[in-house]
Amino acid sequence: MKQTGKIESIWGTVIDIHFDSELPGIYSLLKTGKNMEILIEVLVQIDEYTVRGIALTPTEGVYRGQMVENTGGPLKVPVGRETLSRMFNVMGSPIDQKPALKNFQLRSIHQDPPLLSKYSTNSEVFETGIKIIDILLPLERGGKTGLFGGAGVGKTVLLTEMIHNMIGKQEGVSIFCGIGERSREAEELYSNMKEANVLDNMVMVFGQMNEVPGSRFRVGHTALTMAEYFRDDEHKDVLLLVDNIFRFIQAGSEVAGVMGQMPSRLGYQSTLETELSKLQERIANTKDAAITSIQAVYVPADDFTDPAAVHTFSHLSSSIVLSRKRAGEGLYPSIDPLLSNSKMATPGKISDRHYKIGQEIRRTLAQYAELKDIIAMLGLEQLSLDDRNIVARARRLERFLTQPFSVTEQFTGIPGKIVSLEDGLDGCERILSDEFKDYPESAFYMIGKIDEAKIEGSD
């Protein structure tokens, strides 16, 4: 006999259910509705007869006294090779209008992180083909990278370009998780991946912004469960792309609000750090394989002291900060090299040459930032010759570190370019040595390799 209860009260997506017998456990999945199509996850046991849950699906048609069925366990989603090239929702149901899955396992979305004894301590650089990232902010294979920025500075474009560049050479599996993002972006990404013939090794999971908060809050767990299968069972490296981790925090805040929990600082839920840690700690590099994660993080009002940004920073091995000022100057990707950082940009993790060039670039850009106030007040002519040379190098470096993207080609008309780390380092080294001091700054803007500047400069 399946255990059943009755709905006592409903507040939007929060539902109280009365059980005469044993109560369902926390995270148990309950079903109700005409065809048992409405799913509820238990979050609180109020007393010995009542539980409070959050709906994972819209609650239209639910009424007091309606029968609820306990499934006897948490939400389980399909995992396995059958999921490749498919698009799913938070319940693991296909949403790509293709036939239903046949051969698959079901696995709970609530999993523990790997044991510490299974973690790998090896560090390896993960190349992206984007100059400014590979030179100044190298990513770690099996690490977590955050793309931080406010609205409209290019987080999704940069994330999509990384997918475009890396997914072709990624030998394992790629999983894209859309948390609370636009339906248009999901459709565009699916079409782009199909055109690039990379869907065969990719899984997409979406909880869109029009869906209930319970769905957006759990979709990240669904994507991670699918990723963990490929890492732990098939020992394949996984590239996990999340857009946007702030929407996960925001959904958790909505859930806490409707559940009646007391808010904490700036209106966020008091359990923010715990909820984020439960998700992030499952993204790990084990001895058999790794999950490499790249996560877009919306920063409310460009305020990096916001609790959502602060708590996310603490989990990352690389932080890529996007600057509205640089975007306004047309320097794309609009990454601020002085605010961004990577733990891989240290001696021993990258080559000595790479480290020295990276440090020299940062030093030059930092000196230029200090001189900007003097230039604004007195003009460039009032600087010493050495300072003017620093400004010239810095401005050429800023323009050389821009790059045309394949995903924006239809808007800009400039073909996208992938630049190897060696070519990027070579270009920066030659600019720092003043090899191109007679070239106009515009010759370095939106090019790939440094040799293209010679063609531009000679025109």
Side-chain angles (χ1 to χ4, degrees), residues 108-162:
S108 166
I109 66 167
H110 298 284
Q111 301 284 344
D112 292 326
L115 297 172
L116 284 175
S117 57
K118 291 188 175 178
Y119 275 69
S120 170
T121 54
N122 291 335
S123 292
E124 189 183 337
V125 172
F126 196 72
E127 277 194 42
T128 64
I130 298 170
K131 287 181 284 192
I132 191 167
I133 293 176
D134 290 342
I135 295 168
L136 296 176
L137 314 159
L139 307 191
E140 180 186 15
R141 185 177 295 278
K144 294 187 274 279
T145 300
L147 305 179
F148 290 84
V153 292
K155 294 184 302 298
T156 300
V157 170
L158 184 55
L159 189 68
T160 313
E161 182 70 8
M162 285 182 169

Side-chain angles (χ1 to χ4, degrees), residues 1-8 10 15-20 30-40 61-70:
M1 283 288 292
K2 286 195 174 175
Q3 188 185 8
T4 58
K6 285 187 178 178
I7 293 178
E8 258 189 5
I10 310 160
I15 302 174
D16 285 359
I17 303 123
H18 178 90
F19 285 87
D20 289 324
L30 312 179
K31 292 184 177 181
T32 189
K34 198 171 180 181
N35 302 307
M36 294 295 167
E37 75 282 7
I38 295 169
L39 305 182
I40 304 161
V62 176
Y63 56 87
R64 287 178 63 187
Q66 190 170 23
M67 191 189 77
V68 176
E69 192 177 277
N70 180 13

Side-chain angles (χ1 to χ4, degrees), residues 37-49:
E37 75 282 7
I38 295 169
L39 305 182
I40 304 161
E41 185 178 71
V42 176
L43 292 185
V44 180
Q45 293 176 335
I46 296 174
D47 55 40
E48 56 186 318
Y49 297 111

